[in-house]
Amino acid sequence: MPAGAAADGRAVLGSLGGEPDWLQYDETPDCPACARPMGFAAGLEEGPDPVTAMNFGSGKAYAHVCGGCGRAALLWQC
């Protein structure tokens, strides 16, 4: 299966794990419960169809999670 493809052959729009590909600057959130930086979980990108795609203002969304507390945060940059 080629990189960037789902098991059914469709394109994957984003990333899972690794490091965020920030569009602007590092905005890694701190956990509101323990104040530690949250780990990057997933990056989401807009799809090609404006009728059905997620809308991040022509940008990307970033999901983070705190492994110790289980809290999550979602933010976006455009």
Side-chain angles (χ1 to χ4, degrees):
M1 176 170 41
D8 63 4
R10 292 180 296 159
V12 175
L13 301 175
S15 61
L16 186 60
E19 295 294 322
D21 182 17
W22 298 107
L23 290 177
Q24 298 175 12
Y25 53 90
D26 186 337
E27 284 190 83
T28 300
D30 291 330
C31 175
C34 69
R36 289 182 288 196
M38 298 176 106
F40 178 69
L44 306 171
E45 297 178 16
E46 294 182 353
D49 184 347
V51 174
T52 60
M54 296 179 285
N55 183 348
F56 303 122
S58 297
K60 295 181 181 181
Y62 306 89
H64 289 76
V65 66
C66 178
C69 300
R71 301 252 180 147
L74 180 74
L75 58 103
W76 65 91
Q77 294 181 343
C78 51

